């Protein structure tokens, strides 16, 4: 146990006692001791118990933490009478000692000033048929008529097209109109991890700190589906964590979940001073009912936003596909004495596959380039466009493949972030001699199938393009004889998966190309696709399948 006297600049001092082994102090709603002090960091300092003693350590705060006027470094042991300085706040250690007792929320003594009510039960009892009339039946009927009118107004408003912000403001409007709080806030679930963010809030008096909530309040209201009716917040440690409530005198608190049949999407919290009014169970039932209507509409809005986002993404994918297809050549240049064929089969997603076949300067032969940029979608398509522009100049200038790769890699590195790169195979074929000079920048090895059926893999001669600021590529060459076949491809072919999650691999590609090495090149590509489809057995292709083939005829 540790007991503190807390003094925040401009506010009356108050005392707090903690029984847990760790106390986080700061401005975040996740802090155990939340202080409305702008000089504090969100998680400023930590008090913790170790071996029966209490210590304090700074959590890397902007303004630091002092003990006895000296800035602390590391962990500092605390004793009764110590004074801690944090931003504009001072903490006096009144007592240390005792053993913390871990109790579940339902095991704590809630006391006579706190009531928890089942939101589901209140929703079931919210219809007129459940009305119990007593001695004051006229007043009861009048109150219910007013609230039915309010709910009808809200339902009519929700039947129209309304944004999330307009919906939250509508709920706050009705809460202030009928329950007269001094502060109110709506918190919505931000992610699947259960974090909540303030989505809307309102205060009557400008300059008053915003309404804060503790994690324990969220746990009780949202996770357990309970409405919390706190008649005096100072008597329940669950809510006294929100020191700003205490500082402005807010004592009566009403919190209700925004809950539909699928669960809670958030919560609404109202606060007022006890001197003005205390909230009742009828007030709680009204807020639970309003919260239910709001929750269903919020979920519908979220579904509509998800659908709109899905349509936007589909539109972007379609645009990326158009960009990618526009970069691929519509026709291939004729190459005397050679067969040339290329194809690209799109998958369900957009990849960064790219190929080009350009006549060599002087007209003897052609330059072939197959590339695959990292990533998918529009980013990959844009990087492909950049790669195409960077490669066009060196190829047209007649540079050998290794120098083409060096120049493109250097410029790609200068213009893109480190995680963006491309693999590529660049080959220059002399049409008359049959010599093919090439450089492989970390790409899949090209497959050379001799007319006799012998095969050879043309592996990497350097790293992927754009990976290093200065990259060198070894020049390589092979002599192609009549009937020899070269197959360039991207990993969409060799990494295709079957239901057993096995990859198609290079061996299967090699076998098909050997078996059909004498076929016309379009027929060879069709044979590869048939073999791929049989192997994949219905598993969707995760990447585009690009292939470029050339065969020497004479």
């Amino acid at each position: 146990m540790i007991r503190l006297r807390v003094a925040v600049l401009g506010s009356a001092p108050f005392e707090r006692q903690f029984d847990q082994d760790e106390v986080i102090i700061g401005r975040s709603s996740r802090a155990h001791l939340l202080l409305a002090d702008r000089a504090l960091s969100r998680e400023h300092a930590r008090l913790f118990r170790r071996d029966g003693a209490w210590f304090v350590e700074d959590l890397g705060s902007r303004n630091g933490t002092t003990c006895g006027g000296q800035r602390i470094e590391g962990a500092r042991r605390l004793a009764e009478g110590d004074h801690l300085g944090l931003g504009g706040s001072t903490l006096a250690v009144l007592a240390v000692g005792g053993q913390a007792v871990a109790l579940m929320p339902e095991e704590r003594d809630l006391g006579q000033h706190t009531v928890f009510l089942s939101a589901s039960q209140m929703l079931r009892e919210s219809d007129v048929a459940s009305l119990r009339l007593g001695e004051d039946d006229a007043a009861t009927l009048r109150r219910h008529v007013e609230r039915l009118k309010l709910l009808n107004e809200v339902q009519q408003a929700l039947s129209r097209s309304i944004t999330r912000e307009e919906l939250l403001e509508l709920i706050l409007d009705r809460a202030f109109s009928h329950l007269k709080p001094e502060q109110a806030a709506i918190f919505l679930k931000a992610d699947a991890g259960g974090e909540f963010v303030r989505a809307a809030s309102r205060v009557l008096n400008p300059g008053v700190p915003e309404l804060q909530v503790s994690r324990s309040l969220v746990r009780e209201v949202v996770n357990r589906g309970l409405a919390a009716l706190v008649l005096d917040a100072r008597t329940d440690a669950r809510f006294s964590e929100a020191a700003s409530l205490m500082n402005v005198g807010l004592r009566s608190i009403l919190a209700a979940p925004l809950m539909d049949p699928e669960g809670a999407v958030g919560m609404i919290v109202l606060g007022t001073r006890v001197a003005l009014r205390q909230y009742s169970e009828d007030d709680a039932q009204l807020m639970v009912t309003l919260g239910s209507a709001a929750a269903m509409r919020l979920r519908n809005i979220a579904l509509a936003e998800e659908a709109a986002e899905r349509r936007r993404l589909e539109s972007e994918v379609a645009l990326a596909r158009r960009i990618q297809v526009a970069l691929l050549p519509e026709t291939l240049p004729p190459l005397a004495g050679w067969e040339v064929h290329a194809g690209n089969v799109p998958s369900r997603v957009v990849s960064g596959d790219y190929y080009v076949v350009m006549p060599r300067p002087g007209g003897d032969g052609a330059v072939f380039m197959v590339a695959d940029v990292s990533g998918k979608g529009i980013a990959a398509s844009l990087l492909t466009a950049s790669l195409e522009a960077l490669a066009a100049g060196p190829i047209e200038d007649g540079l050998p493949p290794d120098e083409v790769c060096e120049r493109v890699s250097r410029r790609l590195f200068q213009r893109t972030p480190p995680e963006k790169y491309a693999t590529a195979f660049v080959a220059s074929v002399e049409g008359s001699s049959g010599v093919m000079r090439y450089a492989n920048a970390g790409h899949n090895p090209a497959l050379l199938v001799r007319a006799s059926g012998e095969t050879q893999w043309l592996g990497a001669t350097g790293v992927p393009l754009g990976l290093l600021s200065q990259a060198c590529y070894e020049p390589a060459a092979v002599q192609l004889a009549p009937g020899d076949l070269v197959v360039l491809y991207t990993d969409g072919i060799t990494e295709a998966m079957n239901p057993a999650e096995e990859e198609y691999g290079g061996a299967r590609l090699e076998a098909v190309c050997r078996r059909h090495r004498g076929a016309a090149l379009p027929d060879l590509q069709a044979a590869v696709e048939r073999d791929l489809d049989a192997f994949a057995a219905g598993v969707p292709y995760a990447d585009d399948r690009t292939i470029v083939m050339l065969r020497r005829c004479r």
Side-chain angles (χ1 to χ4, degrees):
M1 178 274 295
I2 186 168
R3 187 156 55 91
L4 307 170
R5 175 177 291 275
V6 183
V8 181
L9 189 64
S11 302
F14 60 94
E15 292 185 11
R16 287 292 310 279
Q17 178 174 300
F18 298 94
D19 292 329
Q20 66 263 36
D21 290 330
E22 180 185 75
V23 179
I24 303 297
I25 306 167
R27 290 189 299 110
S28 169
S29 61
R30 292 181 291 183
H32 303 100
L33 179 56
L34 188 150
L35 303 179
D37 181 348
R38 293 189 176 274
L40 290 182
S41 297
R42 293 183 60 79
E43 293 186 5
H44 193 103
R46 179 173 79 110
L47 310 180
F48 62 98
R49 177 168 29 205
R50 187 173 62 200
D51 297 330
W54 279 89
F55 297 80
V56 60
E57 67 175 358
D58 188 84
L59 296 179
S61 65
R62 182 177 66 254
N63 295 322
T65 303
T66 63
C67 182
Q70 296 183 345
R71 187 163 182 148
I72 63 173
E73 300 289 342
R76 168 82 174 262
R77 184 167 180 169
L78 291 174
E80 294 180 9
D82 281 345
H83 285 75
L84 304 178
L86 302 85
S89 305
T90 302
L91 277 65
V93 180
L94 301 181
V96 292
Q99 181 64 37
V101 178
L103 297 177
M104 296 298 291
E106 56 269 23
E107 295 176 315
R108 295 177 185 159
D109 180 13
L110 301 183
Q112 60 180 340
H113 297 289
T114 302
V115 177
F116 287 96
L117 307 164
S118 168
S120 298
Q121 182 68 24
M122 297 177 81
L123 286 172
R124 287 193 294 269
E125 296 176 352
S126 61
D127 57 280
V128 179
S130 66
L131 209 60
R132 297 184 195 70
L133 300 180
E135 296 178 359
D136 193 19
D137 53 356
T140 302
L141 278 173
R142 185 167 52 253
R143 184 170 65 252
H144 277 271
V145 167
E146 291 175 355
R147 296 197 172 185
L148 283 173
K149 181 180 177 182
L150 165 64
L151 295 175
N152 184 55
E153 290 175 358
V154 171
Q155 291 292 352
Q156 287 183 348
L158 295 181
S159 67
R160 302 188 296 269
S161 177
I162 189 171
T163 66
R164 185 197 314 271
E165 292 70 23
E166 291 170 340
L167 170 59
L168 299 181
E169 288 300 320
L170 171 67
I171 298 301
L172 289 178
D173 282 342
R174 298 306 185 266
F176 270 81
S177 173
H178 287 263
L179 299 183
K180 313 297 183 186
E182 293 173 84
Q183 290 196 35
I186 297 176
F187 298 86
L188 297 180
K189 190 174 293 186
D191 51 43
E195 290 295 322
F196 285 78
V197 297
R198 182 192 307 273
S201 61
R202 188 177 298 180
V203 296
L204 285 183
N205 300 316
V208 174
E210 286 188 321
L211 188 62
Q212 303 289 340
V213 298
S214 65
R215 284 174 292 180
S216 55
L217 178 58
V218 174
R219 184 169 58 247
E220 301 288 353
V221 174
V222 177
N223 295 354
R224 299 183 62 194
L226 300 177
L229 191 59
V230 186
L231 305 184
D232 190 344
R234 290 183 184 268
T235 66
D236 195 325
R238 299 166 190 256
F239 314 113
S240 58
E241 290 179 21
S244 63
L245 300 181
M246 307 300 104
N247 295 340
V248 298
L250 293 181
R251 302 276 294 280
S252 185
I253 300 171
L254 170 57
L258 306 180
M259 189 171 71
D260 66 5
E262 295 186 38
V265 299
M267 59 184 287
I268 181 169
V269 185
L270 313 179
T272 187
R273 288 176 290 178
V274 175
L276 295 181
R277 66 164 298 173
Q278 286 185 333
Y279 293 117
S280 67
E281 292 190 22
D282 281 347
D283 297 330
Q285 187 172 56
L286 174 64
M287 291 314 303
V288 166
T289 307
L290 280 177
S292 175
M296 287 187 285
R297 190 55 187 267
L298 283 169
R299 207 177 290 276
N300 289 338
I301 291 173
L303 291 174
E305 290 176 348
E306 288 177 9
E309 177 66 11
R310 193 159 47 246
R311 289 193 297 270
R312 185 187 67 80
L313 291 176
E314 289 171 354
S315 175
E316 286 190 357
V317 169
L319 173 60
R321 168 55 62 188
R322 290 197 296 272
I323 294 173
Q324 183 181 1
V325 170
L327 295 175
L328 301 177
E330 295 182 2
T331 59
L332 301 178
L335 184 57
W338 296 77
E339 287 182 79
V340 181
H341 176 75
N344 172 267
V345 182
S347 65
R348 295 184 304 169
V349 297
V350 177
S351 75
D353 285 8
Y354 163 71
Y355 71 86
V356 66
V357 180
M358 297 175 60
R360 292 181 68 225
D364 181 24
V367 177
F368 297 78
M369 181 176 180
V370 174
D372 188 1
V373 306
S374 62
K376 290 179 172 42
I378 283 188
S381 296
L382 294 177
L383 184 58
T384 303
S386 178
L387 179 65
E388 187 269 343
L390 293 175
I395 291 175
E396 291 174 354
D397 291 342
L399 295 183
D402 55 302
E403 293 185 25
V404 171
C405 289
E406 288 178 10
R407 182 178 296 185
V408 172
S409 181
R410 183 173 63 253
R411 292 181 175 174
L412 195 64
F413 180 86
Q414 294 169 348
R415 300 182 183 190
T416 58
E419 67 274 11
K420 296 300 181 182
Y421 59 88
T423 66
F425 192 101
V426 183
S428 176
V429 177
E430 295 178 0
S432 56
S433 68
V435 174
M436 185 179 82
R437 294 177 173 82
Y438 70 90
N440 184 336
H443 196 71
N444 305 92
L447 174 61
L448 170 58
V449 183
R450 299 290 184 180
S452 63
E454 295 178 1
T455 59
Q456 179 182 350
W457 294 98
L458 310 181
T461 63
V463 299
L465 305 176
L467 200 61
L468 302 174
S469 59
Q470 295 291 335
C472 295
Y473 298 86
E474 292 293 329
V478 293
Q479 176 67 53
L480 302 179
D484 288 349
L485 169 72
V486 177
V487 180
L488 313 178
Y489 58 93
T490 58
D491 57 14
I493 293 177
T494 52
E495 293 182 2
M497 306 287 283
N498 68 6
E501 298 188 352
E502 298 172 330
E503 290 188 352
Y504 183 74
R508 290 184 176 87
L509 176 64
E510 178 184 9
V512 174
C513 292
R514 286 184 62 191
R515 191 163 58 249
H516 299 274
R517 63 184 181 276
L521 296 187
D523 294 337
L524 175 55
Q525 183 192 3
V528 171
E529 284 298 321
R530 286 195 303 272
D531 196 59
L532 268 172
D533 289 340
F535 172 81
V539 175
Y541 293 102
D543 209 345
D544 283 11
R545 304 180 305 284
T546 299
I547 193 166
V548 176
M549 297 176 287
L550 64 151
R551 179 194 288 131
R552 188 176 182 185
C553 300
R554 62 177 187 271

